[in-house]
Amino acid sequence: MTRLAYVNGRYVNHSAGMVHIEDRGYQFADGVYEVVMVYQNRLVDEKGHLDRLESSLAHIKLPMPMSRRSIQLVMRHLIAQNRLDHGLLYIQVTRGVAPRDHKFPTNVKPALVMTTKKTRISSVNQEKGVKVVSVPDIRWKRCDIKSISLLPNILAKQQAAENSAFEAWFLDEQGMVTEGTSSNSWIISNNKVITRKASSAILNGITRQTLLEIISKHKLHLEERSFSLQEAMKASEAFLTSSSAFVIPVCQIDNIKISDGTPGIFTKNLLNYYRSAILDLPQIS
Ligand code: PDD
């Protein structure tokens, strides 16, 4: 079966998909992206991801490359062609191809690429939990935009990998946790769920937003506020969320175990609530 990618108006063989060397994504990381989970033939939080794509594009002053309806049709076509019942769909939009010059080019169409990747959420990580390491947050001040410029995230994730950790948690200049390199950060303390407020210091995760709705529906105590690395280390539970991970317990931060170093019941319940909310979504027809 051929794996297809959508590249600027054409469906091509994934391994042959190419963009021009003067694509501004390649030259300047001048673009934004989205990652949508396909879970048991369901597009998870499609509306939230497309809303965020529109918002990221508006922030970098780029129009939608085509209508939302057309993007949704391409998404469905790729998913069907690639028989993606479980996996990730990537949507990337850049400012298009133009001779290298920092300022915006005129009359250039944005470039749109969509790809899929077959993958399953790691049940081992969900059941056993993971370790994270703390690193200084050296990113720019607009982390609410899902920019393709990911160097600080990549360097931090590599540092995590070199320390046998799954993720790195960024710390701002006050020692407060902002978020992970590709996930949002949460703790449980005194039976309260605590996560940083959405601002330009973090990406407002779509998984985060869905989980906030679930927390409110189940009338759990929530505090949307910053927490320090020390508070996280002393928390009764910690976890991370993202489209590609759902909810993963964090059992160790640097060399400190969270509680007894095993996933807590609060986090397990949240994962179960999240999973059942996803299974309520309609299947892709
Ligand atoms: N990452 N924070 C950052 C910096 C992220 O890159 C992501 C997502 C999140 C969680 O957002 P969401 O719940 O919408 O996935 C938070 C995706 C999965 C990625 O880059 O692969």
Side-chain angles (χ1 to χ4, degrees), residues 138-197:
I138 57 167
R139 299 174 302 162
W140 71 330
K141 294 193 169 72
R142 290 305 309 270
C143 296
D144 53 320
I145 301 173
K146 200 159 171 60
S147 157
I148 59 172
S149 170
L150 290 170
L151 258 185
N153 309 56
I154 287 164
L155 293 174
K157 189 78 115 193
Q158 180 60 21
Q159 194 175 324
E162 286 168 12
N163 286 283
S164 310
F166 176 79
E167 177 61 301
W169 277 8
F170 286 123
L171 301 182
D172 67 16
E173 281 171 5
Q174 286 70 46
M176 309 301 263
V177 175
T178 50
E179 61 179 333
T181 68
S182 58
S183 58
N184 290 113
S185 308
W186 307 67
I187 56 171
I188 312 276
S189 231
N190 300 322
N191 291 321
K192 285 187 191 124
V193 190
I194 303 164
T195 195
R196 195 173 172 122
K197 247 196 210 120

Side-chain angles (χ1 to χ4, degrees), residues 34-273:
E34 273 303 323
V35 186
V36 189
M37 169 62 87
V38 177
Y39 185 72
Q40 294 189 11
N41 204 32
R42 290 163 173 89
L43 265 166
V44 179
D45 291 332
E46 179 183 18
K47 180 177 181 304
H49 286 283
L50 291 176
D51 286 350
R52 190 172 62 189
L53 178 66
E54 274 186 12
S55 138
S56 293
L57 285 169
H59 283 309
I60 69 162
K61 301 186 168 64
L62 251 187
M64 279 282 268
M66 54 194 191
S67 71
R68 181 182 280 232
R69 186 73 203 120
S70 305
I71 291 179
Q72 287 176 305
L73 289 175
V74 175
M75 289 166 78
R76 280 162 181 71
H77 188 69
L78 261 195
I79 290 168
Q81 288 295 313
N82 292 345
R83 303 214 172 101
L84 190 80
D85 47 356
H86 273 278
L88 295 169
L89 180 126
Y90 292 83
I91 308 171
Q92 179 156 320
V93 185
T94 71
R95 207 176 302 277
V97 177
R100 197 175 194 285
D101 182 0
H102 283 58
K103 62 187 183 300
F104 295 176
T106 42
N107 297 323
V108 170
K109 271 176 46 180
L112 170 63
V113 170
M114 280 193 225
T115 55
T116 64
K117 182 166 92 177
K118 281 201 173 180
T119 174
R120 279 176 188 272
I121 294 181
S122 160
S123 53
V124 175
N125 286 342
Q126 285 181 338
E127 279 155 26
K128 297 223 158 99
V130 296
K131 171 183 167 185
V132 303
V133 292
S134 61
V135 296
D137 196 339
I138 57 167
R139 299 174 302 162
W140 71 330
K141 294 193 169 72
R142 290 305 309 270
C143 296
D144 53 320
I145 301 173
K146 200 159 171 60
S147 157
I148 59 172
S149 170
L150 290 170
L151 258 185
N153 309 56
I154 287 164
L155 293 174
K157 189 78 115 193
Q158 180 60 21
Q159 194 175 324
E162 286 168 12
N163 286 283
S164 310
F166 176 79
E167 177 61 301
W169 277 8
F170 286 123
L171 301 182
D172 67 16
E173 281 171 5
Q174 286 70 46
M176 309 301 263
V177 175
T178 50
E179 61 179 333
T181 68
S182 58
S183 58
N184 290 113
S185 308
W186 307 67
I187 56 171
I188 312 276
S189 231
N190 300 322
N191 291 321
K192 285 187 191 124
V193 190
I194 303 164
T195 195
R196 195 173 172 122
K197 247 196 210 120
S199 71
S200 53
I202 65 165
L203 184 76
N204 189 1
I206 306 302
T207 321
R208 174 188 181 281
Q209 294 173 42
T210 302
L211 203 63
L212 289 179
E213 284 168 21
I214 290 171
I215 287 166
S216 147
K217 190 176 130 199
H218 288 267
K219 300 194 167 42
L220 303 173
H221 293 292
L222 170 78
E223 281 184 6
E224 270 187 280
R225 63 162 174 85
S226 301
F227 56 87
S228 68
L229 178 65
Q230 276 65 34
E231 186 179 2
M233 286 170 165
K234 286 193 212 122
S236 50
E237 298 180 33
F239 63 95
L240 56 86
T241 57
S242 79
S243 301
S244 55
F246 285 4
V247 173
I248 293 191
V250 169
C251 295
Q252 186 176 335
I253 306 175
D254 295 334
N255 292 323
I256 303 295
K257 285 203 164 33
I258 308 303
S259 291
D260 66 356
T262 62
I265 189 70
F266 222 119
T267 307
K268 281 187 194 160
N269 286 341
L270 286 174
L271 172 59
N272 287 335
Y273 294 151

